[in-house]
Amino acid sequence: MSEVVPLLQSIANRLEAIELHLGITGGGNASASGSEDLPRSIRAFDAYCRDNLDPFVEACDKLGGDAATVGHLVKDAWNEMRSFLIMATACKEPPQTSLGPLLSKIGEKTREISNCVQRNEWEKHTKTCQEGVQCLNWLVVKPAPRDFIESYIGGSDYWANNIRREYRTTNPDHVAFCDTFKKLLQELMVYVKEYHTTGVTWNPKGCDVSEYNSSSAPPPAAPAASASKPAPTTSAAAPKADLFAALNKEGAVTKGLKTVTKEQQTWRKEFKGGDTPAPAPVPKKAPAPKKDVVKGPAKLEFQPSGSKWLVEYQTGEAGQVTVQIADKKETVYIYGCVGANINVVGKCKSIILDGCKRTALHFDSAFASLETVNCQRIQVHCRENVPSVAIDKTDGILVHLPASSLDTEVTASKSSEMNLCFPGPDGEPIERPIPEQYIHRIHETSITADVTDLYNA
């Protein structure tokens, strides 16, 4: 017993050190001098996180379960974004091709959030965050990173609205989860517009990225202790003192225990209590979620014979993939991409997305059509005009149309979870679902089809 007491005392001391490090005991904030040494854009980012990221994480912890898990993954992703911005204040802007490896840690957090999506009660919560965190690729977007972030708010809010409808009158904590995450993305747009209007602001007099030492970057400031949770007093140590006092009784601590004879020990031959009780069943581990992987090497090439661009097997690790259109007769074929961000600059004839997952497409104009086939959870953002959009065998798509393309015709077949986002009369974006449910009636020698009342709200 005398050997156990020092061990427990050591564990208690380590726990107290962790509490002090996390600020649980109500300790003071980081010194003012340390904060003043940071660039103004980083101090503004830290203030943005205190006002928006911390309330979101608190809302996730209040719900628990997978919501708490994904909440802390979002916080880790935002911390990686902060590290990237600090690096930008100290380094010259590197070539576009070198930016992909710099986002590898953010990509890892994004994949961890995607792996949290499962068919359970937290599916809508994890999908809300999965759609929203893809906006972190704004770090490599030029010249309009704010618009890039905005394009992902609609897809995230689609799942959040489902949560609001389900829990609006029963559990306001779920609504707080949705509202704090949306505010986190909206305020990020405000921050980016003020400090990184046309892209991440680099330091033209800084060092090369290869010479940058990330270990010298200051850590994020710890959140201030809540006023509703006062610092624990010395009376909080009473349970620990009682525990060690009981352990120091040595033999007296086991005084009330019953002696177990050999006949009562089930593992001995002398056991006389009948059949050995069956062991408790071992719970089966849930199978690990299947990860989406590309099936071939990444490809980005132009075929002059067919005036066609081939964009194949791209992922989010490569950053934004840009296709520069030189002739409006060119077509773009995008195949097998997973988590990619593709930007088509210039007016082309048509664009086809085939077999893509969690992919975002931004394009200027296509004078013939845009087609999606066998895709899952994709977003399409048109900046100028497209006359026709064809959606076939696609599960989860959000199409953003500008005011100049409100006459676009949309044809859908064998698809689900389809949404259109377009500007309203006041310029504010409006998101509406594309109907999937119809009422069919026989009228003389023909059959009519009417949209159900579900879509009339």
Side-chain angles (χ1 to χ4, degrees):
M1 184 67 66
S2 59
E3 296 177 358
V4 176
V5 174
L7 177 61
L8 292 175
Q9 184 67 56
S10 175
I11 294 174
N13 292 337
R14 292 175 64 185
L15 290 174
E16 289 177 357
I18 293 173
E19 289 176 352
L20 290 172
H21 178 71
L22 296 176
I24 297 176
T25 59
N29 294 333
S31 64
S33 61
S35 175
E36 291 175 356
D37 292 340
L38 293 173
R40 188 166 67 94
S41 62
I42 303 302
R43 296 201 302 270
F45 184 84
D46 288 343
Y48 150 75
C49 289
R50 284 194 300 271
D51 296 340
N52 302 281
L53 180 60
D54 293 344
F56 168 69
V57 176
E58 291 176 4
C60 293
D61 289 338
K62 196 170 184 180
L63 290 177
D66 289 352
T69 301
V70 79
H72 285 276
L73 288 175
V74 169
K75 183 177 181 179
D76 292 343
W78 254 247
N79 287 338
E80 294 297 342
M81 174 168 56
R82 180 183 186 271
S83 300
F84 187 96
L85 294 175
I86 290 179
M87 177 186 65
T89 63
C91 301
K92 301 175 184 177
E93 183 174 4
Q96 188 75 15
T97 55
S98 303
L99 291 176
L102 300 178
L103 295 178
S104 59
K105 293 185 178 180
I106 294 179
E108 290 176 5
K109 298 302 177 184
T110 302
R111 287 191 294 275
E112 288 183 34
I113 293 173
S114 298
N115 293 337
C116 290
V117 177
Q118 298 184 25
R119 294 288 184 179
N120 56 22
E121 60 179 316
W122 303 108
E123 180 182 10
K124 297 184 181 71
H125 299 72
T126 52
K127 285 187 175 180
T128 298
C129 296
Q130 178 195 29
E131 293 289 344
V133 296
Q134 296 183 54
C135 74
L136 297 188
N137 282 322
W138 75 266
L139 294 168
V140 295
V141 172
K142 287 187 175 184
R146 178 192 175 279
D147 295 341
F148 179 83
I149 297 172
E150 185 178 15
S151 68
Y152 284 97
I153 295 180
S156 174
D157 220 29
Y158 168 78
W159 296 104
N161 286 336
N162 290 334
I163 299 173
R164 292 186 181 100
R165 283 194 294 268
E166 183 175 353
Y167 294 102
R168 180 179 289 114
T169 58
T170 58
N171 193 337
D173 292 340
H174 290 270
V175 179
F177 167 89
C178 302
D179 294 343
T180 53
F181 187 69
K182 184 174 183 179
K183 187 171 183 288
L184 178 67
L185 301 183
Q186 291 175 331
E187 292 301 318
L188 179 60
M189 292 167 52
V190 176
Y191 167 79
V192 170
K193 181 179 180 181
E194 181 173 356
Y195 294 96
H196 307 280
T197 308
T198 59
V200 172
T201 303
W202 297 82
N203 185 352
K205 298 181 180 179
C207 63
D208 291 337
V209 171
S210 58
E211 301 172 357
Y212 176 71
N213 182 12
S214 59
S215 61
S216 62
S226 172
S228 62
K229 297 181 181 178
T233 62
T234 55
S235 62
K240 297 180 182 178
D242 294 342
L243 170 64
F244 293 119
L247 292 174
N248 286 326
K249 292 180 180 179
E250 296 185 352
V253 76
T254 61
K255 184 177 180 180
L257 299 180
K258 181 180 177 181
T259 302
V260 180
T261 64
K262 292 182 178 180
E263 292 80 7
Q264 294 173 320
Q265 297 175 2
T266 59
W267 58 277
R268 291 183 177 273
K269 295 179 181 179
E270 294 85 354
F271 176 67
K272 297 180 180 180
D275 296 335
T276 304
V282 179
K284 295 182 179 180
K285 294 184 179 180
K290 185 178 180 181
K291 297 182 179 180
D292 295 325
V293 295
V294 294
K295 300 179 180 179
K299 179 187 293 186
L300 174 60
E301 66 177 30
F302 179 67
Q303 296 181 343
S305 59
S307 295
K308 177 189 291 186
W309 281 92
L310 293 181
V311 184
E312 297 181 353
Y313 305 121
Q314 299 289 338
T315 64
E317 298 178 357
Q320 187 181 55
V321 179
T322 301
V323 178
Q324 187 70 48
I325 302 297
D327 188 340
K328 66 179 182 179
K329 295 180 181 179
E330 295 175 1
T331 61
V332 181
Y333 181 71
I334 305 169
Y335 178 75
C337 297
V338 177
N341 176 29
I342 301 169
N343 185 26
V344 179
V345 180
K347 186 174 184 179
C348 62
K349 181 180 179 181
S350 64
I351 302 175
I352 299 176
L353 284 91
D354 187 359
C356 297
K357 297 181 180 180
R358 304 193 315 275
T359 295
L361 168 66
H362 295 253
F363 69 98
D364 290 338
S365 179
F367 70 84
S369 65
L370 166 74
E371 301 178 30
T372 68
V373 185
N374 295 320
C375 294
Q376 295 179 16
R377 301 193 301 277
I378 64 172
Q379 291 197 29
V380 176
H381 194 109
C382 176
R383 289 187 282 260
E384 295 179 8
N385 183 268
V386 59
S388 174
V389 175
I391 305 172
D392 184 27
K393 298 178 183 178
T394 297
D395 297 323
I397 179 172
L398 178 62
V399 180
H400 292 264
L401 295 174
S404 57
S405 188
L406 295 182
D407 57 347
T408 299
E409 295 181 355
V410 180
T411 304
S413 62
K414 297 183 179 180
S415 301
S416 63
E417 300 177 18
M418 302 173 289
N419 290 269
L420 278 178
C421 184
F422 52 91
D426 56 354
E428 291 297 319
I430 299 174
E431 185 175 335
R432 293 289 184 266
I434 297 175
E436 302 173 32
Q437 192 177 72
Y438 302 88
I439 298 175
H440 302 278
R441 298 183 180 90
I442 299 175
H443 180 69
E444 295 180 353
T445 60
S446 61
I447 298 178
T448 63
D450 300 308
V451 178
T452 64
D453 295 338
L454 178 66
Y455 299 93
N456 293 335

